[in-house]
């Protein structure tokens, strides 16, 4: 018997304020047409001034608990993937723990920027496989609007705020790819690329800082590394492109999403795309897309789902699961 980490609930939350591309035309030398054609983004949500990352995460967590039909205290561990936690400490995850009314178990944050949710899923899988938890709430939540340079048209038009959550539960499997749950993961990072995508401030620098990106270079790495990591994860369990029902990619740029799908040999009719509505929400983008994919009836129980993401670090990876 193999302990599998099976998804039993998913949910998301987007802040009320929707910002269409046209709004940037008022303050920047940009156009709706440029943003749409270069990135696929049409609008994004921005958190209200008093709304924090843990607030967004809590809404998403409650939605996932509702779908799973379980209580907050049925959760053993809470992991929040974020680069924009409310405070330097405590973790956003402990804030969510308190807000949802979980009084047992343990909570902590993971920081792997846009790849954060993939890293969090992989760690949650390890906790479940090793018997350290039976149910793990895995959240991706961000308020990237707080780290934008509003004068930099090359970055500030691309990002948005939001949160998504998935609940994983230990279930017995047979050890084959017929099992539901996480089947394979592949994680990577290379710190030599730190100058391609970073925030130019932080606690130790005594500032908050704003996001800086060499867009073209990150694009190049994304196109090369995303298909590679997805292939590696699929290979680990002997699955191929034809076995994949849905690719749920990090939503940074429609051109990256299309090119990765092409390299993977998966048609765009099997890719969940939300970038037009959410922009790039970093660690929140995959659970947001998963939640939208499930809610819309596309992703069904038993489907093979591949998630892949890349972000600052660079850090990148993929997870293969049977939904
Ligand atoms: O989530 C983490 C991973 N992040 C990513 O995956 C992002 C990866 N990068 C990208 O998605 C793309 O590189 C961008 C969307 C950021 C940029 O698209 P691009 O096709 O690579 O454009 P570019 O940076 O080569 O810029 C082309 C032109 C430049 O003008 P010149 O030098 O050709 O005169 C830019 O100054 O477009 C200009 N430009 C803009 N023009 C209008 C850059 N931003 C804008 C803008 N509006 N907002």
């Amino acid at each position: 018997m193999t302990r599998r980490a099976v998804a039993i609930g998913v949910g998301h939350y987007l802040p009320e304020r929707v910002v269409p591309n046209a709004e940037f035309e008022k303050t920047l030398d940009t156009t709706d047409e440029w943003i749409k054609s270069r990135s696929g983004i049409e609008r994004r949500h921005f958190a209200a001034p008093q709304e924090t990352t843990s607030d967004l995460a809590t809404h998403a967590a409650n939605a996932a608990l509702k779908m799973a039909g379980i209580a907050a205290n049925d959760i053993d561990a809470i992991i929040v993937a974020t680069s924009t936690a409310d405070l330097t400490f405590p973790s956003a995850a402990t804030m969510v723990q308190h807000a949802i009314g979980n009084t047992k178990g343990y909570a902590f944050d993971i920081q792997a920027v846009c790849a954060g949710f993939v890293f969090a899923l992989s760690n949650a899988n390890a906790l479940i496989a090793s018997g350290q938890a039976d149910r793990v709430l895995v959240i991706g939540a961000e308020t990237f609007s707080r780290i934008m340079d509003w004068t930099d048209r090359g970055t500030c038009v691309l990002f948005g705020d939001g949160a998504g959550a998935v609940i994983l539960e230990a279930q017995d499997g047979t050890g084959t790819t017929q099992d539901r749950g996480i089947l394979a993961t592949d994680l990577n990072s290379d710190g030599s690329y730190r100058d391609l995508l970073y925030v130019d401030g932080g606690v130790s620098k005594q500032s908050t800082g704003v996001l800086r990106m060499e867009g073209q270079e990150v694009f190049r790495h994304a196109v090369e590394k995303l298909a590679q990591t997805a292939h590696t994860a699929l290979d680990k369990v002997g699955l191929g492109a034809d076995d994949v029902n849905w690719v749920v990619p990090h939503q940074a740029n429609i051109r990256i999403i299309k090119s990765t799908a092409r390299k993977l040999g998966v048609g765009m009719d099997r890719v969940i795309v939300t970038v037009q509505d959410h922009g790039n929400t970093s660690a929140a983008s995959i659970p947001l897309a998963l939640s939208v994919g499930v809610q819309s009836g596309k992703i069904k129980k038993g489907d093979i789902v591949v998630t892949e993401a890349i972000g600052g670090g660079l850090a990148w990876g993929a997870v293969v699961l049977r939904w």
Side-chain angles (χ1 to χ4, degrees):
M1 220 121 66
T2 305
R3 263 170 84 87
R4 293 290 195 191
V6 178
I8 59 165
V10 60
H12 72 270
Y13 177 78
L14 290 157
E16 221 168 276
R17 185 175 164 216
V18 179
V19 178
N21 290 345
E23 221 162 294
F24 292 101
E25 294 177 357
K26 297 175 193 161
T27 53
L28 290 169
D29 181 14
T30 191
T31 59
D32 171 43
E33 185 45 39
W34 189 95
I35 302 169
K36 256 197 313 226
S37 64
R38 303 314 293 165
S39 73
I41 297 165
E42 295 174 28
R43 60 192 71 80
R44 75 286 291 137
H45 294 246
F46 283 157
Q50 73 285 356
E51 216 170 18
T52 62
T53 292
S54 73
D55 293 332
L56 311 189
T58 299
H59 285 299
N62 281 327
L65 284 168
K66 193 169 170 203
M67 179 179 162
I70 61 170
N73 264 340
D74 295 328
I75 298 290
D76 302 314
I78 300 167
I79 306 177
V80 175
T82 189
S83 300
T84 49
D86 305 22
L87 300 176
T88 300
F89 71 78
S91 63
T94 53
M95 294 182 189
V96 172
Q97 180 184 25
H98 181 63
I100 64 173
N102 179 286
T103 54
K104 53 170 241 178
Y106 49 91
F108 59 97
D109 290 356
I110 277 185
Q111 212 266 47
V113 205
C114 297
F117 191 75
V118 164
F119 277 65
L121 271 186
S122 180
N123 276 272
N125 182 48
L127 290 178
I128 286 176
S130 61
Q132 295 177 79
D134 287 331
R135 289 201 185 103
V136 185
L137 170 59
V138 190
I139 304 168
E142 303 279 15
T143 47
F144 260 49
S145 63
R146 304 283 151 75
I147 51 166
M148 288 296 107
D149 173 355
W150 298 110
T151 66
D152 178 9
R153 66 179 184 171
T155 55
C156 74
V157 301
L158 303 174
F159 293 87
D161 302 336
V166 171
I167 298 171
L168 297 174
E169 179 182 75
Q171 289 182 13
D172 288 333
T174 57
T176 71
T177 54
Q178 289 310 308
D179 294 345
R180 288 188 64 215
I182 293 180
L183 302 174
T185 71
D186 180 57
L187 303 183
N188 312 267
S189 63
D190 185 339
S192 69
Y193 295 119
R194 78 174 223 182
D195 292 342
L196 296 187
L197 179 51
Y198 64 101
V199 169
D200 62 5
V203 185
S204 200
K205 299 257 189 197
Q206 301 192 45
S207 66
T208 302
V210 290
L211 183 145
R212 303 289 177 207
M213 178 167 73
E214 299 289 338
Q216 264 188 17
E217 273 299 292
V218 176
F219 192 101
R220 198 175 60 75
H221 282 286
V223 165
E224 172 200 312
K225 292 181 166 59
L226 288 173
Q228 204 174 64
T229 184
H231 267 309
T232 302
L234 284 164
D235 275 353
K236 285 182 184 179
V237 283
L239 293 175
D242 291 347
D243 301 307
V244 176
N245 298 103
W246 292 104
V247 177
V248 183
H250 171 47
Q251 311 281 323
N253 187 317
I254 190 67
R255 289 153 56 215
I256 296 174
I257 293 172
K258 282 184 177 166
S259 136
T260 305
R262 199 166 43 243
K263 283 192 170 188
L264 274 174
V266 172
M268 283 303 290
D269 56 335
R270 289 188 279 151
V271 181
I272 303 290
V273 179
T274 54
V275 69
Q276 71 284 356
D277 296 326
H278 302 165
N280 182 345
T281 58
S282 189
S285 95
I286 287 176
L288 269 165
L290 261 176
S291 182
V292 169
V294 170
Q295 268 186 7
S296 66
K298 287 182 174 171
I299 301 174
K300 296 187 188 66
K301 203 169 166 174
D303 282 351
I304 290 286
V305 174
V306 178
T307 65
E308 26 90 347
I310 186 166
L314 296 175
W316 67 100
V319 172
V320 178
L321 68 152
R322 191 178 286 282
W323 191 256

Short mmCIF file of all heavy atoms in Angstrom, two decimals, residues 185-231:
data_model
loop_
_atom_site.label_atom_id
_atom_site.label_comp_id
_atom_site.label_asym_id
_atom_site.label_seq_id
_atom_site.Cartn_x
_atom_site.Cartn_y
_atom_site.Cartn_z
N THR A 185 6.89 14.59 -8.52
CA THR A 185 7.25 16.01 -8.44
C THR A 185 8.68 16.19 -8.96
O THR A 185 9.48 15.25 -8.92
CB THR A 185 7.18 16.55 -6.99
OG1 THR A 185 8.25 15.99 -6.23
CG2 THR A 185 5.87 16.22 -6.31
N ASP A 186 8.97 17.40 -9.42
CA ASP A 186 10.34 17.72 -9.86
C ASP A 186 10.62 19.17 -9.46
O ASP A 186 9.91 20.08 -9.89
CB ASP A 186 10.45 17.56 -11.38
CG ASP A 186 11.86 17.88 -11.87
OD1 ASP A 186 12.81 17.22 -11.39
OD2 ASP A 186 12.01 18.80 -12.70
N LEU A 187 11.60 19.38 -8.60
CA LEU A 187 11.93 20.73 -8.11
C LEU A 187 13.35 21.10 -8.52
O LEU A 187 14.25 20.25 -8.49
CB LEU A 187 11.82 20.80 -6.58
CG LEU A 187 10.49 20.41 -5.95
CD1 LEU A 187 10.55 20.60 -4.44
CD2 LEU A 187 9.34 21.22 -6.54
N ASN A 188 13.55 22.38 -8.87
CA ASN A 188 14.87 22.86 -9.31
C ASN A 188 15.06 24.31 -8.89
O ASN A 188 14.09 25.07 -8.79
CB ASN A 188 14.99 22.85 -10.84
CG ASN A 188 14.53 21.57 -11.46
OD1 ASN A 188 15.33 20.68 -11.69
ND2 ASN A 188 13.24 21.44 -11.74
N SER A 189 16.32 24.69 -8.70
CA SER A 189 16.62 26.12 -8.59
C SER A 189 18.07 26.35 -9.00
O SER A 189 18.89 25.43 -8.97
CB SER A 189 16.37 26.63 -7.17
OG SER A 189 17.24 25.98 -6.26
N ASP A 190 18.36 27.60 -9.39
CA ASP A 190 19.72 27.99 -9.73
C ASP A 190 19.91 29.45 -9.33
O ASP A 190 19.47 30.37 -10.02
CB ASP A 190 19.96 27.81 -11.24
CG ASP A 190 21.41 28.08 -11.62
OD1 ASP A 190 22.11 28.77 -10.84
OD2 ASP A 190 21.84 27.63 -12.69
N GLY A 191 20.56 29.62 -8.18
CA GLY A 191 20.73 30.95 -7.60
C GLY A 191 21.64 31.88 -8.39
O GLY A 191 21.69 33.08 -8.10
N SER A 192 22.30 31.36 -9.40
CA SER A 192 23.18 32.24 -10.19
C SER A 192 22.35 33.21 -11.05
O SER A 192 22.89 34.15 -11.61
CB SER A 192 24.13 31.41 -11.06
OG SER A 192 23.42 30.75 -12.07
N TYR A 193 21.05 32.95 -11.15
CA TYR A 193 20.19 33.82 -11.96
C TYR A 193 19.45 34.86 -11.13
O TYR A 193 18.43 35.39 -11.55
CB TYR A 193 19.16 32.98 -12.73
CG TYR A 193 19.76 32.06 -13.76
CD1 TYR A 193 19.61 30.69 -13.67
CD2 TYR A 193 20.48 32.58 -14.83
CE1 TYR A 193 20.16 29.84 -14.63
CE2 TYR A 193 21.04 31.75 -15.78
CZ TYR A 193 20.87 30.38 -15.68
OH TYR A 193 21.41 29.56 -16.62
N ARG A 194 19.94 35.17 -9.92
CA ARG A 194 19.16 36.03 -9.03
C ARG A 194 18.87 37.41 -9.60
O ARG A 194 17.86 38.02 -9.31
CB ARG A 194 19.83 36.14 -7.66
CG ARG A 194 21.00 37.08 -7.60
CD ARG A 194 21.46 37.21 -6.18
NE ARG A 194 21.75 38.61 -5.87
CZ ARG A 194 22.20 39.02 -4.71
NH1 ARG A 194 22.39 38.17 -3.72
NH2 ARG A 194 22.45 40.28 -4.50
N ASP A 195 19.76 37.93 -10.46
CA ASP A 195 19.56 39.28 -10.98
C ASP A 195 18.51 39.38 -12.08
O ASP A 195 18.18 40.47 -12.53
CB ASP A 195 20.90 39.86 -11.50
CG ASP A 195 21.87 40.10 -10.35
OD1 ASP A 195 21.41 40.16 -9.19
OD2 ASP A 195 23.08 40.21 -10.61
N LEU A 196 17.98 38.25 -12.52
CA LEU A 196 16.96 38.29 -13.59
C LEU A 196 15.59 38.68 -13.07
O LEU A 196 14.76 39.22 -13.81
CB LEU A 196 16.86 36.93 -14.29
CG LEU A 196 18.08 36.43 -15.04
CD1 LEU A 196 17.74 35.17 -15.81
CD2 LEU A 196 18.61 37.51 -15.99
N LEU A 197 15.33 38.38 -11.79
CA LEU A 197 14.00 38.62 -11.23
C LEU A 197 14.14 38.67 -9.72
O LEU A 197 14.46 37.66 -9.08
CB LEU A 197 13.07 37.46 -11.67
CG LEU A 197 11.63 37.45 -11.21
CD1 LEU A 197 10.93 38.77 -11.46
CD2 LEU A 197 10.87 36.33 -11.91
N TYR A 198 13.94 39.86 -9.15
CA TYR A 198 14.16 40.02 -7.71
C TYR A 198 13.43 41.26 -7.20
O TYR A 198 12.96 42.08 -7.99
CB TYR A 198 15.66 40.13 -7.39
CG TYR A 198 16.33 41.36 -7.98
CD1 TYR A 198 16.59 42.49 -7.20
CD2 TYR A 198 16.67 41.41 -9.33
CE1 TYR A 198 17.18 43.63 -7.75
CE2 TYR A 198 17.25 42.53 -9.88
CZ TYR A 198 17.50 43.64 -9.09
OH TYR A 198 18.07 44.76 -9.65
N VAL A 199 13.33 41.37 -5.88
CA VAL A 199 12.83 42.59 -5.25
C VAL A 199 14.05 43.28 -4.65
O VAL A 199 14.86 42.65 -3.97
CB VAL A 199 11.76 42.27 -4.19
CG1 VAL A 199 11.43 43.49 -3.35
CG2 VAL A 199 10.50 41.75 -4.87
N ASP A 200 14.17 44.59 -4.95
CA ASP A 200 15.42 45.29 -4.57
C ASP A 200 15.41 45.81 -3.13
O ASP A 200 16.07 46.79 -2.81
CB ASP A 200 15.72 46.42 -5.56
CG ASP A 200 14.64 47.48 -5.58
OD1 ASP A 200 13.70 47.41 -4.77
OD2 ASP A 200 14.72 48.39 -6.43
N GLY A 201 14.67 45.13 -2.26
CA GLY A 201 14.68 45.47 -0.84
C GLY A 201 14.32 44.25 -0.03
O GLY A 201 14.02 43.19 -0.58
N GLY A 202 14.37 44.36 1.27
CA GLY A 202 14.05 43.23 2.15
C GLY A 202 14.42 43.59 3.57
O GLY A 202 15.02 44.65 3.81
N VAL A 203 14.08 42.69 4.49
CA VAL A 203 14.29 42.97 5.91
C VAL A 203 15.74 43.35 6.20
O VAL A 203 16.04 44.36 6.83
CB VAL A 203 13.96 41.73 6.76
CG1 VAL A 203 14.05 42.06 8.24
CG2 VAL A 203 12.60 41.19 6.40
N SER A 204 16.66 42.55 5.70
CA SER A 204 18.06 42.74 6.01
C SER A 204 18.63 43.98 5.32
O SER A 204 19.68 44.48 5.68
CB SER A 204 18.84 41.49 5.61
OG SER A 204 20.06 41.44 6.28
N LYS A 205 17.89 44.46 4.31
CA LYS A 205 18.28 45.70 3.61
C LYS A 205 17.49 46.88 4.18
O LYS A 205 17.59 48.00 3.67
CB LYS A 205 17.98 45.58 2.11
CG LYS A 205 18.74 44.46 1.43
CD LYS A 205 19.90 45.01 0.64
CE LYS A 205 20.51 43.92 -0.22
NZ LYS A 205 21.85 44.28 -0.69
N GLN A 206 16.65 46.59 5.16
CA GLN A 206 15.84 47.62 5.85
C GLN A 206 14.95 48.43 4.91
O GLN A 206 14.88 49.66 5.00
CB GLN A 206 16.75 48.55 6.67
CG GLN A 206 17.55 47.77 7.70
CD GLN A 206 18.22 48.69 8.69
OE1 GLN A 206 17.64 49.62 9.21
NE2 GLN A 206 19.48 48.41 8.97
N SER A 207 14.30 47.71 3.97
CA SER A 207 13.33 48.35 3.08
C SER A 207 12.40 47.28 2.53
O SER A 207 12.66 46.09 2.69
CB SER A 207 14.05 49.05 1.94
OG SER A 207 14.68 48.09 1.12
N THR A 208 11.33 47.72 1.89
CA THR A 208 10.42 46.74 1.29
C THR A 208 10.87 46.40 -0.13
O THR A 208 10.93 45.25 -0.51
CB THR A 208 8.98 47.29 1.25
OG1 THR A 208 8.61 47.61 2.58
CG2 THR A 208 8.01 46.27 0.69
N GLY A 209 11.19 47.43 -0.89
CA GLY A 209 11.68 47.22 -2.25
C GLY A 209 10.57 47.01 -3.27
O GLY A 209 9.39 46.89 -2.91
N VAL A 210 10.96 47.02 -4.54
CA VAL A 210 10.02 46.77 -5.64
C VAL A 210 10.60 45.72 -6.58
O VAL A 210 11.81 45.49 -6.60
CB VAL A 210 9.73 48.08 -6.44
CG1 VAL A 210 8.89 49.04 -5.61
CG2 VAL A 210 11.01 48.73 -6.93
N LEU A 211 9.71 45.12 -7.35
CA LEU A 211 10.11 44.02 -8.24
C LEU A 211 10.91 44.54 -9.44
O LEU A 211 10.54 45.54 -10.04
CB LEU A 211 8.85 43.29 -8.70
CG LEU A 211 9.03 42.06 -9.60
CD1 LEU A 211 7.95 41.02 -9.26
CD2 LEU A 211 8.95 42.42 -11.07
N ARG A 212 11.99 43.86 -9.74
CA ARG A 212 12.81 44.17 -10.91
C ARG A 212 12.90 42.91 -11.77
O ARG A 212 13.11 41.82 -11.23
CB ARG A 212 14.23 44.58 -10.49
CG ARG A 212 14.28 45.77 -9.56
CD ARG A 212 13.91 47.04 -10.29
NE ARG A 212 13.88 48.20 -9.40
CZ ARG A 212 13.13 49.28 -9.62
NH1 ARG A 212 12.33 49.35 -10.67
NH2 ARG A 212 13.17 50.29 -8.79
N MET A 213 12.75 43.06 -13.07
CA MET A 213 12.77 41.86 -13.93
C MET A 213 13.42 42.15 -15.28
O MET A 213 13.11 43.17 -15.91
CB MET A 213 11.35 41.34 -14.14
CG MET A 213 11.28 40.12 -15.06
SD MET A 213 9.69 39.28 -15.03
CE MET A 213 8.68 40.45 -15.93
N GLU A 214 14.28 41.24 -15.69
CA GLU A 214 14.78 41.22 -17.07
C GLU A 214 13.81 40.33 -17.85
O GLU A 214 14.02 39.12 -17.98
CB GLU A 214 16.19 40.61 -17.13
CG GLU A 214 17.26 41.34 -16.35
CD GLU A 214 17.66 42.68 -16.98
OE1 GLU A 214 17.43 42.83 -18.20
OE2 GLU A 214 18.13 43.55 -16.24
N GLY A 215 12.73 40.95 -18.32
CA GLY A 215 11.61 40.19 -18.89
C GLY A 215 12.01 39.20 -19.97
O GLY A 215 11.63 38.03 -19.92
N GLN A 216 12.78 39.68 -20.94
CA GLN A 216 13.15 38.82 -22.08
C GLN A 216 13.95 37.60 -21.64
O GLN A 216 13.76 36.50 -22.16
CB GLN A 216 13.98 39.62 -23.07
CG GLN A 216 13.18 40.20 -24.20
CD GLN A 216 14.07 40.80 -25.26
OE1 GLN A 216 15.27 40.53 -25.31
NE2 GLN A 216 13.48 41.63 -26.10
N GLU A 217 14.88 37.82 -20.71
CA GLU A 217 15.72 36.72 -20.22
C GLU A 217 14.89 35.70 -19.44
O GLU A 217 15.06 34.48 -19.60
CB GLU A 217 16.85 37.27 -19.32
CG GLU A 217 18.06 37.69 -20.08
CD GLU A 217 18.69 36.54 -20.86
OE1 GLU A 217 19.24 35.62 -20.23
OE2 GLU A 217 18.63 36.55 -22.10
N VAL A 218 14.00 36.19 -18.58
CA VAL A 218 13.13 35.28 -17.83
C VAL A 218 12.26 34.48 -18.80
O VAL A 218 12.08 33.28 -18.65
CB VAL A 218 12.26 36.04 -16.80
CG1 VAL A 218 11.30 35.10 -16.09
CG2 VAL A 218 13.15 36.76 -15.78
N PHE A 219 11.78 35.18 -19.81
CA PHE A 219 10.97 34.53 -20.85
C PHE A 219 11.73 33.36 -21.47
O PHE A 219 11.21 32.25 -21.62
CB PHE A 219 10.63 35.57 -21.93
CG PHE A 219 9.58 35.15 -22.91
CD1 PHE A 219 8.27 35.59 -22.79
CD2 PHE A 219 9.90 34.29 -23.97
CE1 PHE A 219 7.30 35.19 -23.70
CE2 PHE A 219 8.93 33.89 -24.88
CZ PHE A 219 7.63 34.35 -24.75
N ARG A 220 12.97 33.63 -21.81
CA ARG A 220 13.81 32.61 -22.46
C ARG A 220 13.98 31.38 -21.55
O ARG A 220 13.84 30.25 -21.99
CB ARG A 220 15.18 33.24 -22.78
CG ARG A 220 16.01 32.52 -23.80
CD ARG A 220 17.29 33.29 -24.13
NE ARG A 220 18.16 33.50 -22.97
CZ ARG A 220 18.93 32.57 -22.41
NH1 ARG A 220 18.93 31.34 -22.88
NH2 ARG A 220 19.69 32.86 -21.37
N HIS A 221 14.28 31.63 -20.28
CA HIS A 221 14.43 30.52 -19.33
C HIS A 221 13.10 29.76 -19.14
O HIS A 221 13.09 28.54 -19.01
CB HIS A 221 14.93 31.03 -17.98
CG HIS A 221 16.39 31.32 -17.97
ND1 HIS A 221 17.35 30.33 -17.94
CD2 HIS A 221 17.07 32.50 -18.00
CE1 HIS A 221 18.56 30.89 -17.95
NE2 HIS A 221 18.40 32.20 -18.00
N ALA A 222 12.01 30.52 -19.10
CA ALA A 222 10.70 29.90 -18.88
C ALA A 222 10.39 28.92 -20.00
O ALA A 222 10.02 27.76 -19.76
CB ALA A 222 9.63 30.98 -18.78
N VAL A 223 10.57 29.37 -21.22
CA VAL A 223 10.25 28.54 -22.38
C VAL A 223 11.10 27.26 -22.38
O VAL A 223 10.63 26.18 -22.71
CB VAL A 223 10.44 29.36 -23.68
CG1 VAL A 223 10.48 28.47 -24.89
CG2 VAL A 223 9.34 30.40 -23.80
N GLU A 224 12.35 27.40 -21.96
CA GLU A 224 13.25 26.24 -21.97
C GLU A 224 12.98 25.30 -20.79
O GLU A 224 12.93 24.08 -20.94
CB GLU A 224 14.69 26.78 -21.92
CG GLU A 224 15.77 25.75 -21.72
CD GLU A 224 17.05 26.41 -21.19
OE1 GLU A 224 17.46 27.43 -21.75
OE2 GLU A 224 17.60 25.89 -20.20
N LYS A 225 12.78 25.88 -19.60
CA LYS A 225 12.77 25.05 -18.38
C LYS A 225 11.41 24.45 -18.02
O LYS A 225 11.35 23.41 -17.37
CB LYS A 225 13.29 25.88 -17.20
CG LYS A 225 14.78 26.22 -17.35
CD LYS A 225 15.30 27.01 -16.16
CE LYS A 225 16.82 27.05 -16.12
NZ LYS A 225 17.46 27.64 -17.30
N LEU A 226 10.32 25.09 -18.44
CA LEU A 226 9.01 24.60 -18.00
C LEU A 226 8.65 23.26 -18.65
O LEU A 226 8.20 22.33 -17.96
CB LEU A 226 7.93 25.65 -18.27
CG LEU A 226 8.00 26.85 -17.34
CD1 LEU A 226 7.01 27.94 -17.76
CD2 LEU A 226 7.73 26.44 -15.89
N ALA A 227 8.86 23.18 -19.95
CA ALA A 227 8.55 21.90 -20.61
C ALA A 227 9.47 20.80 -20.09
O ALA A 227 9.05 19.66 -19.88
CB ALA A 227 8.69 22.05 -22.12
N GLN A 228 10.74 21.19 -19.86
CA GLN A 228 11.74 20.23 -19.37
C GLN A 228 11.32 19.63 -18.01
O GLN A 228 11.33 18.42 -17.83
CB GLN A 228 13.04 21.00 -19.19
CG GLN A 228 14.30 20.20 -19.24
CD GLN A 228 15.49 21.18 -19.19
OE1 GLN A 228 15.66 21.88 -18.19
NE2 GLN A 228 16.25 21.25 -20.26
N THR A 229 10.92 20.50 -17.06
CA THR A 229 10.56 20.01 -15.73
C THR A 229 9.27 19.18 -15.77
O THR A 229 9.15 18.17 -15.08
CB THR A 229 10.49 21.15 -14.69
OG1 THR A 229 10.22 20.59 -13.39
CG2 THR A 229 9.42 22.18 -15.00
N ALA A 230 8.33 19.59 -16.62
CA ALA A 230 7.08 18.81 -16.74
C ALA A 230 7.38 17.42 -17.32
O ALA A 230 6.87 16.41 -16.83
CB ALA A 230 6.08 19.56 -17.61
N HIS A 231 8.24 17.37 -18.34
CA HIS A 231 8.65 16.10 -18.94
C HIS A 231 9.32 15.21 -17.90
O HIS A 231 9.04 14.01 -17.81
CB HIS A 231 9.64 16.34 -20.09
CG HIS A 231 8.99 16.43 -21.42
ND1 HIS A 231 8.11 15.48 -21.89
CD2 HIS A 231 9.11 17.35 -22.41
CE1 HIS A 231 7.70 15.82 -23.10
NE2 HIS A 231 8.28 16.96 -23.43
#
